[in-house]
Amino acid sequence: MDSKNVCLSLLDAESEAQALAILMTVPEVADPKNWCPLDRRETNFNITSNQASDGGKALTELMTNMVDAVLMRAAKDHGVVATAKTAPKTMYDAVDKFVKNLRGGKLVNLDYRDPWLKDFAQKNLVIGITGARSKAAGLPCYTFVDNGEGQHPVDFEGTFLSLSAGTKKSIPFVQGKFNMGSSGVLGYCGRHWLKLIVSRRFDGTGHWGWTIMRRRPGNKDDLPIAEYLVPGGSIPSFPAEELFPFKTSKGKRYEGVHLKTGSIIKLYDYQVGSKFLSFKGSRDALNENLVETILPFRILDLRQTPDAKRTGDRALGVDPRPFYGMEFLLLNSHREEGADDEDEAAGTGKIFVGKFTDPDLGEVSISAIGLKRDLPGWLKSSNNRVFHTVNGQVQFKQTRGYLSNCGFPALKDRVVLIVDASGLSFSAHNEVWKGDREHIRSTIDGERYREEVTRTIRESEMLKQLQAKVAQEELERAAKTESNSLFQKLVDKDPTLAGLLSSRDPTIRLPSSGGRKGGKEIGDDEFEGAYSPSFVRFEEKFESGLTVPINLTRPVVARTDAENGYLQRTDIPGRVILPESLRENFTVREHLKDGKLTLFFEPSAGKAKVGDIYLLQVSLHDAGMPEAVRTTEIKLTVGDVVIVENKEPGERSENKSGDEGDKPGKGKDAPMRGIPPCILLTRDGRLIQEQETEQWPKDFTDADGGLIDDLGDGNVVYKINYDNVYHLKYRMSQHGSIARDVVTEKFILGMRITLMGYEHAYRSQKKAMGPEANGLDEFADEFRRMAARGAASTVLALAENLPKIVDATSVQADVE
């Protein structure tokens, strides 16, 4: 076999069919003895078929392995033994030490115009898309190129072709410790699972090695077994000074990417998803699965038509784009010279939500990225808003409904939450995540993790303040676009309708004279803290000590002048330092807002005991401080069991901070009976009778009746579809503009009344179900939309015809 010619021909092939045709010309391929099952096990299907549930997720596993390879090479270039005690402890530390000092290893600390991002990516981490551009033409090919450590041919079986060797398990600064990324993509590689692997060791010793993987041929009902080519029992190899892995759509060699060492992996006819076939769609498929890429990537679409009017790669028919992960995308523009469709940043800034530590789990930090009203397309078409990550790679997602369930319905399209679980202990990592890295296991640690994340989110004063701000903005916006006079008369006239506007149902709330609990009123200047704190001290009521019941949680509050993002900023973050004995025996949740540091202490089962006494001193420190600032010491005592009423998961009635905000006149918003505001929706966002409207959501149709936008604390906005087909049909059947406007008023009033009744029933049902209603919020928007759709099809028929066919005369006639 001409090893080099076969390998380079496969590298040039741009479809599964082309690759199969090349393999059919090689006599060694036809001999089953020249193929070996992956991991040398005939039952490898139980691993290869039990990983990522979609092609986009599987690609991110491969990207993670690429970053690992580059960091491993960087460590070797710096003479650092990866397993030594002196090696970096995290991927972020490794980036700062080996690659570039990013002040915390975070790409988001760089300006998107920094030339290093593009230059490093082009030389080290590139993904090329070639082949088909449309579903009718077939599926595209994806080629992954990294200038990392590479492997000798004799080492392929213990690295690329292993499922269980665990070669990275003892290396703290890499992510792909489970050998799954290399095989997780197979099921999405066409019908035959073709995947080409080419690699050469970083030091230039030895030749290029290569093999191709496939699904073993046979009856389609046979179990799917992955195998790889080993002619004569060894990995094929060949000498070459350098390789050029890409060609343009015109078949010319692309000079922009070449390797003297490193690795190339090519996936043929890759199924990333039918809606992701376009280049933008391909990038969108990655956004939800990588919050951070750790190192910068370059994605090249080599399927474009050359254009002599353009410059650089685009003149060659190559469309290059940066890819740095979801967080960078939301907080920064990705605009580059010559790009056509790159948007400005969709995020408004990063918010510290909270942090917790647990003796069994480790450390978890939660942040939020505020979003502008107009969501980016990839996020608008997704229902996911909460992303649990390990070293930037998404392990689990939660939906908009989860935010509603946590008490933040107004934020479900105004924030993305990032739960950074990189600090989980190694044992907790295995206990919490399922092998597919898409679900949380129902183990003791898995359930504990879920509960602590939910509690930390629900307690967040920063999210509560943001929700209040968003709700007030939306209510003010709705008030400017509606006329309530007719609806007000109807509500005033009918006490039954007025009864639906109880304080527990949709209302308009106005701030009471006492102001809101803590912080500042919306519209006031934001709290401006210090970059590094100059003090931290307990509030006076805690100076005598704190007792925490063995089965409950209790907070302790300290005051400081540290800025709100102090504990989670990417550039020189601060940290809370507690005595080690407390970290070892308590779960601790941390919140910082407007100079108020709140720490929730929960005794860890089997560790803390009733009667134990601990000395509690809180210190704050960051790398820019010569020494930490500290509180005085107080006693923390573990108390007896306290019986409390049942609460929903994540709620703790005992979490009373001593804040008097819930007392009359102490800042709680005063509920008022009022009219739920209304906004009209139209197909194109046009003005209706000189009033502003909102454009339809992406998946809306003329059969939809509208939406109910839940803003939290009983506030809702009704959004009525003016362009509903039933409304327009009745409207156009009238003669004259006045008669048509009367129909429209009937439609809008009828919809508001019907939706008000639905919302009252929904909230009453939730109250009656108690904790069992916890999952309803997950589907609340679907329920509301369904109710609006049904109401829109009947409300005008009732309004127009009931008065004609039912009156006193008709009823009297029926009685007689």
Side-chain angles (χ1 to χ4, degrees):
M1 179 177 69
D2 186 343
S3 180
K4 181 177 181 179
N5 182 58
V6 174
C7 178
L8 297 184
S9 297
L10 289 170
L11 201 54
D12 289 343
E14 299 305 350
S15 69
E16 182 181 76
Q18 290 180 19
L20 288 172
I22 293 167
L23 291 174
M24 288 181 65
T25 66
V26 181
E28 289 84 350
V29 170
D31 188 348
K33 294 180 181 179
N34 289 328
W35 292 87
C36 180
L38 182 62
D39 207 38
R40 293 192 174 273
R41 62 168 83 173
E42 292 288 335
T43 57
N44 58 54
F45 63 86
N46 60 11
I47 295 181
T48 58
S49 301
N50 191 31
Q51 296 187 42
S53 62
D54 66 76
K57 175 68 175 177
L59 289 183
T60 63
E61 296 279 358
L62 195 52
M63 293 170 70
T64 296
N65 280 356
M66 295 168 70
V67 172
D68 286 352
V70 172
L71 290 180
M72 290 289 289
R73 172 175 181 163
K76 291 178 171 65
D77 287 342
H78 282 74
V80 174
V81 177
T83 56
K85 291 183 178 180
T86 55
K89 302 305 180 187
T90 69
M91 297 185 82
Y92 304 108
D93 291 342
V95 171
D96 277 346
K97 184 171 183 177
F98 299 145
V99 182
K100 182 180 176 68
N101 187 358
L102 301 179
R103 307 184 308 278
K106 298 275 191 173
L107 292 179
V108 74
N109 287 337
L110 294 178
D111 188 290
Y112 75 94
R113 292 161 295 194
D114 191 317
W116 176 83
L117 289 164
K118 176 181 176 180
D119 182 65
F120 182 89
Q122 189 82 14
K123 293 176 180 177
N124 294 280
L125 293 163
V126 179
I127 302 172
I129 307 175
T130 55
R133 295 183 61 180
S134 66
K135 192 171 183 179
L139 292 168
C141 297
Y142 284 74
T143 304
F144 295 78
V145 180
D146 73 71
N147 190 17
E149 62 175 339
Q151 300 296 337
H152 290 301
V154 295
D155 295 325
F156 271 38
E157 290 193 343
T159 53
F160 296 116
L161 304 172
S162 168
L163 295 174
S164 55
T167 55
K168 304 177 187 177
K169 187 163 53 178
S170 58
I171 303 172
F173 60 87
V174 297
Q175 166 76 349
K177 300 178 182 180
F178 305 100
N179 290 80
M180 295 170 67
S182 185
S183 61
V185 296
L186 285 174
Y188 304 100
C189 293
R191 296 288 185 184
H192 298 271
W193 295 10
L194 294 187
K195 171 186 170 185
L196 178 67
I197 303 173
V198 187
S199 189
R200 187 186 186 195
R201 193 63 174 166
F202 76 99
D203 55 10
T205 60
H207 293 165
W208 290 93
W210 72 273
T211 188
I212 190 164
M213 299 177 69
R214 71 176 183 182
R215 176 175 176 167
R216 179 178 292 172
N219 191 304
K220 65 179 181 179
D221 294 327
D222 292 342
L223 291 174
I225 299 173
E227 58 184 13
Y228 56 93
L229 183 64
V230 277
S234 61
I235 296 294
S237 62
F238 61 89
E241 182 63 26
E242 58 184 349
L243 297 182
F244 292 81
F246 299 122
K247 287 189 175 181
T248 67
S249 60
K250 296 300 182 182
K252 296 182 178 179
R253 186 168 76 180
Y254 175 64
E255 304 281 350
V257 177
H258 55 90
L259 286 183
K260 292 189 175 182
T261 62
S263 301
I264 304 168
I265 294 179
K266 184 158 189 172
L267 313 176
Y268 300 88
D269 283 12
Y270 194 77
Q271 175 67 27
V272 74
S274 56
K275 66 178 181 179
F276 300 127
L277 279 176
S278 68
F279 187 30
K280 186 176 185 303
S282 300
R283 304 195 307 277
D284 289 349
L286 300 176
N287 280 329
E288 277 199 43
N289 294 301
L290 277 176
V291 168
E292 301 175 76
T293 58
I294 307 298
L295 292 173
F297 277 77
R298 200 82 176 147
I299 305 181
L300 310 177
D301 186 352
L302 295 102
R303 301 171 295 177
Q304 306 299 315
T305 302
D307 185 352
K309 297 179 181 179
R310 310 190 76 168
T311 59
D313 284 346
R314 290 178 175 84
L316 304 174
V318 179
D319 188 358
R321 300 299 175 96
F323 185 78
Y324 312 135
M326 180 201 303
E327 182 180 57
F328 197 104
L329 176 65
L330 291 175
L331 294 174
N332 298 273
S333 168
H334 272 201
R335 188 176 300 280
E336 286 194 356
E337 185 178 355
D340 298 322
D341 62 351
E342 297 302 329
D343 298 325
E344 295 297 331
T348 59
K350 200 168 182 179
I351 303 165
F352 175 59
V353 173
K355 180 186 291 187
F356 72 84
T357 60
D358 182 271
D360 296 316
L361 295 175
E363 180 179 291
V364 176
S365 185
I366 306 173
S367 62
I369 297 176
L371 301 173
K372 299 174 183 176
R373 288 191 86 254
D374 188 16
L375 297 178
W378 66 270
L379 196 55
K380 194 178 295 184
S381 61
S382 169
N383 198 35
N384 296 313
R385 293 294 183 271
V386 183
F387 301 88
H388 299 247
T389 73
V390 174
N391 293 324
Q393 185 183 19
V394 175
Q395 309 287 313
F396 179 61
K397 305 172 189 176
Q398 290 173 291
T399 65
R400 301 161 73 248
Y402 173 74
L403 286 178
S404 295
N405 190 44
C406 286
F408 302 109
L411 301 183
K412 57 181 179 286
D413 289 322
R414 297 299 296 271
V415 294
V416 160
L417 260 61
I418 300 170
V419 182
D420 184 0
S422 303
L424 286 179
S425 66
F426 187 79
S427 60
H429 183 97
N430 290 293
E431 289 293 317
V432 172
W433 313 119
K434 288 193 69 174
D436 59 6
R437 304 195 196 180
E438 296 181 21
H439 298 88
I440 292 178
R441 300 176 66 195
S442 296
T443 59
I444 293 174
D445 285 346
E447 292 296 329
R448 177 77 174 162
Y449 172 83
R450 277 180 180 269
E451 291 170 1
E452 291 305 322
V453 167
T454 298
R455 287 175 183 143
T456 305
I457 292 172
R458 282 182 169 172
E459 292 165 351
S460 173
E461 291 296 328
M462 295 296 287
L463 290 181
K464 291 173 185 176
Q465 179 178 332
L466 180 60
Q467 170 153 280
K469 180 179 180 181
V470 169
Q472 184 155 324
E473 288 174 353
E474 292 299 311
L475 291 172
E476 290 176 352
R477 186 172 181 274
K480 293 177 182 177
T481 63
E482 67 168 337
S483 173
N484 278 321
S485 57
L486 290 177
F487 192 43
Q488 184 70 65
K489 289 179 182 178
L490 193 58
V491 171
D492 291 343
K493 191 176 182 67
D494 190 332
T496 303
L497 289 178
L500 297 178
L501 295 172
S502 66
S503 61
R504 294 184 179 276
D505 292 310
T507 62
I508 298 176
R509 295 175 183 265
L510 299 175
S512 68
S513 58
R516 288 185 302 104
K517 171 171 66 174
K520 301 179 182 295
E521 293 287 358
I522 295 167
D524 287 357
D525 293 335
E526 293 185 2
F527 172 82
E528 291 186 10
Y531 188 80
S532 293
S534 61
F535 72 90
V536 58
R537 58 174 176 264
F538 289 122
E539 288 190 343
E540 184 177 352
K541 59 191 169 188
F542 295 103
E543 290 178 353
S544 60
L546 176 70
T547 297
V548 182
I550 188 71
N551 63 320
L552 299 181
T553 300
R554 286 286 186 263
V556 64
V557 180
R559 294 291 176 173
T560 180
D561 59 348
E563 63 183 8
N564 284 335
Y566 178 69
L567 297 178
Q568 203 175 48
R569 63 193 181 202
T570 55
D571 185 4
I572 313 181
R575 60 193 182 102
V576 174
I577 303 173
L578 297 174
E580 200 63 33
S581 60
L582 285 168
R583 292 288 190 191
E584 291 173 351
N585 293 286
F586 289 80
T587 297
V588 184
R589 300 194 294 277
E590 306 170 7
H591 297 274
L592 175 63
K593 176 182 178 292
D594 294 350
K596 181 179 177 180
L597 174 65
T598 306
L599 304 177
F600 291 90
F601 289 90
E602 181 178 358
S604 183
K607 297 182 184 296
K609 297 179 177 61
V610 174
D612 287 351
I613 298 176
Y614 300 85
L615 291 179
L616 169 59
Q617 183 179 58
V618 178
S619 304
L620 295 177
H621 185 256
D622 63 66
M625 299 170 62
E627 62 179 356
V629 293
R630 298 176 175 84
T631 65
T632 57
E633 284 188 341
I634 64 173
K635 288 183 179 181
L636 188 155
T637 305
V638 180
D640 288 327
V641 171
V642 173
I643 306 300
V644 296
E645 59 185 287
N646 290 330
K647 291 288 177 181
E648 293 183 18
E651 288 189 332
R652 308 280 289 201
S653 61
E654 67 277 8
N655 290 349
K656 297 176 182 177
S657 64
D659 197 313
E660 296 182 335
D662 290 342
K663 296 181 180 179
K666 294 295 184 180
K668 195 73 173 178
D669 285 354
M672 297 180 62
R673 178 171 296 177
I675 302 168
C678 169
I679 293 177
L680 294 182
L681 301 175
T682 56
R683 187 188 302 268
D684 52 7
R686 66 190 183 279
L687 293 176
I688 298 295
Q689 296 180 356
E690 299 184 358
Q691 291 186 10
E692 292 184 3
T693 69
E694 286 187 11
Q695 190 171 359
W696 280 357
K698 188 173 182 179
D699 59 344
F700 236 52
T701 71
D702 58 8
D704 278 293
L707 302 167
I708 300 177
D709 201 356
D710 189 347
L711 302 178
D713 291 331
N715 295 317
V716 295
V717 174
Y718 295 157
K719 298 185 176 181
I720 309 301
N721 183 13
Y722 180 91
D723 286 337
N724 173 267
V725 64
Y726 294 98
H727 165 239
L728 294 183
K729 179 181 178 181
Y730 273 97
R731 180 179 169 85
M732 298 311 295
S733 67
Q734 305 300 306
H735 298 289
S737 59
I738 294 179
R740 290 176 178 174
D741 288 345
V742 168
V743 166
T744 294
E745 288 297 334
K746 287 181 178 179
F747 176 72
I748 295 172
L749 286 174
M751 288 296 296
R752 293 175 75 176
I753 292 168
T754 305
L755 294 180
M756 189 167 65
Y758 166 79
E759 192 67 12
H760 182 271
Y762 174 74
R763 292 173 185 265
S764 298
Q765 180 67 18
K766 281 188 63 179
K767 181 179 178 181
M769 292 176 66
E772 294 181 3
N774 203 34
L776 281 182
D777 284 328
E778 184 78 18
F779 307 100
D781 287 344
E782 286 79 2
F783 293 157
R784 289 166 171 145
R785 183 171 171 180
M786 192 178 353
R789 187 179 182 122
S793 65
T794 58
V795 68
L796 278 176
L798 294 173
E800 290 290 289
N801 296 310
L802 276 183
K804 299 176 184 177
I805 63 175
V806 180
D807 56 20
T809 303
S810 62
V811 172
Q812 186 175 11
D814 287 343
V815 172
E816 295 174 352

